Amino acid sequence: MTGGYTQSVNDAIQALYKSGVPVVVAAGNYASDACMWSPASASNAITVAGSAEGDRLYSKTNYGSCIDIFAPGHNVQGANHMCSDCYQFKSGTSFAAPLVSGAVAILLQRQPRLTPDQILYQLISLSTNNTLDTDSIPANFTSSTPNRLLFIPESCGGKLSIGLQSVIRIESPNYPLNYFKKTVCKWLITGPLNTYVRISFTNFSTEPFYDRIELYQGTSCDPNITQLATLSGKRDELAFTQCDSLSNSLLVEFRTDSLISDTGFRANILVAQTRQKQTVVVGLEESTYLVNEDEGRVKVCVAISNLHTCCPVTHNFSVTLQHTPGSATVGSDYIFDDRRSTLQFGTCDKRKCFFIGTVNNHQVETDESFTLTLVNNSFESDIELAMMSANVTILDDDVASVGLEHTDYSVEEGQEVRVCARLMTSRGSCTVSFPFSVVVNTEYGSGMK
């Protein structure tokens, strides 16, 4: 819509701008100053002039300082209402403006919170400068007419259908160059019924924690949507490169913040008739546990340390910790509760811990140890045990000291002198459970042997 200068029309554009709505308008087809027409003259509209083949200007396009950007406006191919696949070619700035509107939609898809000013700034930043031949417009308008040609940014996301024999590729915007900041891309991939959508990452490099891919089962509007995984960081840090959905649909969301950018990702997507086997790796978190006897207990943890797929565990399983006495014996040195040694993992569990009590027997003795072993007592065949064994050492902190009862002895010649050594411990009730001896050395002074 283009008409003579009308303040009320421009005011309506201004009201939309203030409410945060970007407005794209045609410059008009009168080969004159766009500032003479509405809504092309609205100060906060994105006003689009027309270009033609060979980087020339469309012969009827308006021009001047009210123009923000040029887009193809001659022989533009578009849909035709005559049939579902009919098309037509049209000319005019009314056909250039929709191209800019599409670019705005792409920018808002990537960064939904962009303001109208930020959108215009990005369109200008992305545009190709000084490529248009402006000789066809009056010389006194050449310098005031911006020589900027629309560059349509790469879109990301969309709804994709895939057949059994097909493979499609998705990748981050601008890949393999750094992706754009403050981006949100969503792909909904759907396969035939009774199949599973499988995504396989060939490259993956994002800012850890802040820029990430989230995988979901179901659509973003589905109240029963299930999150399968969150991926962030570098490919060599990920525990997997492949994931199956739980049914024939997979939602992929790529989100980035406004700070650090990276090369992003590339992934292949196909459908499978059977889900890949989910092998869950379970192990002790530590191979060595040290505990002072007086602490009273040692905390032992078993965790799902690695998943061979990014999909969640959809079944329950249990593992058992067994103990083997060594120099430490159950009952006198530690207490192992057989009733609690079987650890049950549910769908969302990643870690289970329990305590083994140590016995403070106030006995001076050497450090003692025993062994823990992880056993798969589940009927599930896809449970893999990693760190299966751990050594627990009980550090004895009781102290014994031995000393002479006196530091000075006097005796007359010909008599015996009685010298006593005494065991003195840090606890009055302590005993010493290992042998030791006291050696007396004599040194001759002024006397003779």
Side-chain angles (χ1 to χ4, degrees):
M1 178 189 74
T2 304
Y5 185 92
T6 307
Q7 188 59 48
S8 61
V9 173
N10 289 3
D11 289 343
I13 299 295
Q14 180 67 12
L16 286 169
Y17 165 81
K18 287 185 176 180
S19 66
V21 178
V23 182
V24 180
V25 301
N29 307 313
Y30 303 103
S32 62
D33 184 2
C35 295
M36 298 171 55
W37 306 88
S38 291
S41 57
S43 59
N44 290 304
I46 301 173
T47 303
V48 184
S51 67
E53 296 88 340
D55 288 335
R56 295 176 294 108
L57 299 191
Y58 169 54
S59 61
K60 296 181 180 181
T61 185
N62 286 348
Y63 43 76
S65 60
C66 288
I67 301 299
D68 290 299
I69 198 167
F70 282 83
H74 183 255
N75 285 336
V76 178
Q77 183 177 357
N80 188 304
H81 69 282
M82 299 299 293
C83 65
S84 60
D85 58 354
C86 293
Y87 60 89
Q88 58 186 337
F89 292 91
K90 294 287 186 178
S91 298
T93 57
S94 293
F95 295 91
L99 297 177
V100 176
S101 297
V104 170
I106 292 172
L107 292 174
L108 285 173
Q109 180 191 44
R110 292 197 324 221
Q111 304 176 63
R113 296 183 180 180
L114 286 178
T115 65
D117 287 339
Q118 291 171 330
I119 289 171
L120 178 58
Y121 174 79
Q122 290 211 23
L123 288 173
I124 292 173
S125 299
L126 290 167
S127 65
T128 304
N129 292 320
N130 301 318
T131 190
L132 294 171
D133 181 357
T134 58
D135 289 345
S136 60
I137 63 177
N140 58 324
F141 283 95
T142 301
S143 61
S144 63
T145 303
N147 196 324
R148 293 191 287 258
L149 181 61
L150 173 68
F151 176 85
I152 299 179
E154 181 181 357
S155 178
C156 67
K159 294 183 178 180
L160 307 173
S161 296
I162 182 171
L164 273 175
Q165 304 301 320
S166 302
V167 177
I168 59 175
R169 174 181 291 171
I170 63 172
E171 53 191 33
S172 53
N174 213 36
Y175 182 90
L177 303 179
N178 282 20
Y179 50 75
F180 303 109
K181 300 174 183 178
K182 296 180 68 175
T183 294
V184 178
C185 304
K186 297 182 181 182
W187 293 267
L188 177 61
I189 303 103
T190 304
L193 292 176
N194 302 316
T195 63
Y196 302 96
V197 178
R198 178 170 296 165
I199 184 169
S200 179
F201 293 93
T202 57
N203 291 284
F204 197 98
S205 186
T206 67
E207 181 191 9
F209 306 110
Y210 299 102
D211 299 340
R212 63 192 185 275
I213 282 183
E214 294 174 353
L215 301 178
Y216 294 91
Q217 165 59 39
T219 69
S220 55
C221 299
D222 186 351
N224 299 316
I225 190 171
T226 301
Q227 184 170 4
L228 302 177
T230 297
L231 318 180
S232 185
K234 309 298 181 183
R235 184 171 184 264
D236 54 4
E237 297 170 354
L238 301 178
F240 50 83
T241 57
Q242 182 173 293
C243 179
D244 278 1
S245 65
L246 305 181
S247 69
N248 67 321
S249 66
L250 178 69
L251 179 64
V252 182
E253 293 192 7
F254 180 52
R255 298 177 178 272
T256 69
D257 67 1
S258 60
L259 297 177
I260 300 173
S261 183
D262 209 327
T263 55
F265 71 92
R266 170 176 284 174
N268 294 326
I269 297 176
L270 52 84
V271 295
Q273 291 181 304
T274 57
R275 287 190 68 201
Q276 60 184 351
K277 181 180 178 181
Q278 298 182 75
T279 301
V280 183
V281 182
V282 185
L284 289 159
E285 283 191 335
E286 300 179 40
S287 60
T288 302
Y289 293 87
L290 299 177
V291 58
N292 287 321
E293 185 182 48
D294 283 349
E295 291 181 17
R297 62 182 187 174
V298 56
K299 184 179 181 180
V300 177
C301 295
V302 178
I304 299 176
S305 58
N306 182 29
L307 291 178
H308 287 179
T309 85
C310 58
C311 297
V313 179
T314 56
H315 54 270
N316 296 330
F317 66 92
S318 62
V319 293
T320 297
L321 270 174
Q322 298 178 343
H323 69 100
T324 303
S327 56
T329 56
V330 65
S332 61
D333 298 301
Y334 66 95
I335 302 171
F336 192 88
D337 193 340
D338 290 312
R339 295 170 301 172
R340 299 181 60 188
S341 64
T342 297
L343 307 177
Q344 183 74 35
F345 285 81
T347 299
C348 299
D349 293 327
K350 301 296 182 185
R351 186 171 184 256
K352 290 286 187 176
C353 302
F354 76 107
F355 293 95
I356 299 174
T358 57
V359 180
N360 189 347
N361 54 19
H362 297 291
Q363 181 169 301
V364 180
E365 55 191 350
T366 58
D367 297 339
E368 297 173 307
S369 63
F370 61 96
T371 302
L372 294 174
T373 305
L374 193 61
V375 178
N376 178 15
N377 63 344
S378 173
F379 292 106
E380 303 289 346
S381 61
D382 50 1
I383 307 300
E384 178 182 327
L385 299 183
M387 195 187 303
M388 299 174 56
S389 180
N391 187 70
V392 181
T393 299
I394 302 173
L395 304 176
D396 185 80
D397 55 1
D398 294 316
V399 179
S401 60
V402 179
L404 294 169
E405 284 188 333
H406 301 287
T407 59
D408 188 21
Y409 292 86
S410 298
V411 63
E412 294 183 3
E413 185 179 5
Q415 295 182 344
E416 292 182 347
V417 58
R418 184 179 182 183
V419 178
C420 296
R422 174 172 293 179
L423 173 66
M424 297 172 287
T425 66
S426 58
R427 306 177 194 273
S429 60
C430 284
T431 61
V432 180
S433 63
F434 51 88
F436 65 93
S437 60
V438 178
V439 177
V440 178
N441 293 319
T442 58
E443 295 183 3
Y444 306 115
S446 57
M448 297 173 61
K449 184 176 179 180

